Amino acid sequence: MKTPRFKSWFARLPVLNGPQRRQVLDALRPLAGLDQVVALIDQVRSPGRCCPSCGGARCHRHGVANDLQRFRCCACGRTFNDLSGTPLARLRLKAKWLEYSQTLLDSLPVRKAADRIGVHRNTAFRWRHRFLTWVKLDRPACLTGIVEADETFLLESQKGSRKLDRPARRRGGRASTRGISRELDCILVARDRHGNTIDAVTGRGALTAAQLERDLLPKLDRQALLATDSNAAYRAFSRKHKIAHEAVNLRAGVRVRNAGTSAIHVQNVNGYHQRFKAWLLGFRGVASRYLPNYLGWRWALDGRRIKSAEQLMSIAIEVINT
């Protein structure tokens, strides 16, 4: 619309009645949401923009497609936009993305999130795991000081699978054997006294020293003091890598003990376990293959670390700690 025609149209807005004004607002709201999302994508991606094919930093504008500016790489000639190579590439309905990010902050189940933003439940489920793909990678680079580590277990779930490798359970069911078995997913959580947290789904059954080497060692400061329960895997891991280690014997009823001027306990990490499991109840069962995404989602919410939909979406398209 040319400027004179727009000015004439804009000058007539005050004469609209109530229903007509609401109709105009309903028509403009999606476009306003789209403009906000496009501006946020450009703000996040422009500082380090490069070709996803060859990594070249030199590019020039090459038209607009799907509401996003396209670029052509000067080195390889390939075209791309700011979402190419990100988990949100090729997703539609961009105007609803910020509103959907807020449903993640509100921890809404799939159907309630779909109803709030007006999409199909399958779309809401697909968006959930696309948005969380890089959110789960936004973790602290290192744990320092006194680091508490402990594992917790959840019953293995094949929810949503078309084929099961075991008999189906009714309403989630329970393990066929008591204690720790191969029917349980082991979740390792390590947390220092500053609140920095890392976690990993180590596998099925009891925790091993080899799993600690794979999932904990790369994130652990070698000068840290590792506080755990009396699991032998932590003792073997600490001895092999010469890491200071103190254990509390929870089976004997010892919750806290003193080592010099430091209090040795695993209550912070156990509290995190409880908050995570209580939060999971709202989703009525989570498939084992998606557990890493839910662990990352919980870490994003814990202590209100992510406070806005814009911040969550920024992490979804650009990992901070890389």
Side-chain angles (χ1 to χ4, degrees):
M1 182 182 293
K2 295 184 178 180
T3 302
R5 187 176 178 184
F6 171 76
K7 288 182 178 179
S8 174
W9 175 85
F10 189 78
R12 298 172 62 186
L13 287 179
V15 303
L16 299 179
N17 58 31
Q20 291 172 336
R21 292 180 182 181
R22 286 192 293 271
Q23 187 176 353
V24 171
L25 288 176
D26 291 340
L28 293 179
R29 188 175 292 111
L31 297 177
L34 176 62
D35 292 340
Q36 191 175 3
V37 168
V38 171
L40 180 62
I41 293 172
D42 181 72
Q43 176 186 348
V44 172
R45 300 293 291 180
S46 59
R49 181 181 292 132
C50 62
C51 175
S53 298
C54 69
R58 295 183 61 247
C59 61
H60 59 81
R61 296 178 182 271
H62 190 71
V64 177
N66 299 319
D67 304 308
L68 292 177
Q69 176 69 51
R70 290 197 65 80
F71 302 91
R72 181 181 289 277
C73 177
C74 295
C76 68
R78 300 289 294 272
T79 61
F80 62 95
N81 61 34
D82 282 334
L83 292 182
S84 299
T86 73
L88 303 191
R90 301 183 182 277
L91 289 186
R92 302 181 181 182
L93 304 177
K94 296 180 183 64
K96 298 178 181 286
W97 285 4
L98 279 178
E99 190 177 0
Y100 183 77
S101 297
Q102 186 60 48
T103 69
L104 293 178
L105 293 182
D106 296 339
S107 301
L108 292 187
V110 168
R111 283 178 170 79
K112 289 185 178 180
D115 291 342
R116 175 185 287 189
I117 67 173
V119 298
H120 193 271
R121 61 180 181 276
N122 292 350
T123 299
F125 181 79
R126 183 169 61 253
W127 284 11
R128 169 184 290 181
H129 294 290
R130 289 283 196 97
F131 275 67
L132 296 176
T133 299
W134 281 1
V135 170
K136 70 174 182 286
L137 301 179
D138 178 36
R139 296 307 182 102
C142 189
L143 303 181
T144 60
I146 299 178
V147 178
E148 301 177 22
D150 198 8
E151 71 276 13
T152 188
F153 296 89
L154 291 174
L155 185 63
E156 172 269 341
S157 172
Q158 298 180 34
K159 181 179 180 180
S161 299
R162 294 183 181 272
K163 295 182 180 180
L164 304 181
D165 56 14
R166 54 163 174 77
R169 304 190 189 104
R170 181 175 176 81
R171 300 185 182 275
R174 60 182 62 184
S176 60
T177 58
R178 296 181 61 185
I180 299 173
S181 69
R182 298 288 298 175
E183 298 179 64
L184 301 177
D185 291 316
C186 179
I187 300 173
L188 171 69
V189 177
R191 186 176 175 91
D192 64 21
R193 297 288 169 87
H194 303 290
N196 296 317
T197 305
I198 63 167
D199 47 54
V201 181
T202 61
R204 303 274 172 81
L207 183 68
T208 66
Q211 292 168 344
L212 289 171
E213 290 181 12
R214 181 191 66 203
D215 297 320
L216 178 59
L217 186 61
K219 294 287 189 176
L220 187 63
D221 181 18
R222 295 306 179 90
Q223 305 302 317
L225 172 62
L226 184 62
T228 70
D229 59 13
S230 55
N231 190 332
Y234 296 109
R235 187 166 57 251
F237 164 76
S238 301
R239 185 183 301 114
K240 178 178 179 180
H241 296 283
K242 297 180 174 56
I243 295 173
H245 176 232
E246 294 287 345
V248 290
N249 192 348
L250 298 179
R251 291 186 177 181
V254 179
R255 299 286 180 182
V256 182
R257 68 181 186 82
N258 294 323
T261 58
S262 301
I264 304 301
H265 59 78
V266 290
Q267 294 180 0
N268 289 328
V269 72
N270 286 340
Y272 191 87
H273 289 164
Q274 293 176 0
R275 293 195 298 274
F276 175 66
K277 288 185 174 180
W279 174 75
L280 274 186
L281 292 176
F283 301 108
R284 298 182 180 274
V286 172
S288 295
R289 66 180 181 272
Y290 293 127
L291 270 178
N293 286 353
Y294 285 88
L295 287 166
W297 186 1
R298 180 62 226 178
W299 160 240
L301 300 177
D302 194 66
R304 293 186 58 81
R305 193 179 61 85
I306 294 181
K307 301 180 180 179
S308 67
E310 291 82 2
Q311 186 182 2
L312 188 144
M313 187 174 158
S314 298
I315 298 175
I317 58 179
E318 180 183 41
V319 182
I320 291 177
N321 291 318
T322 56

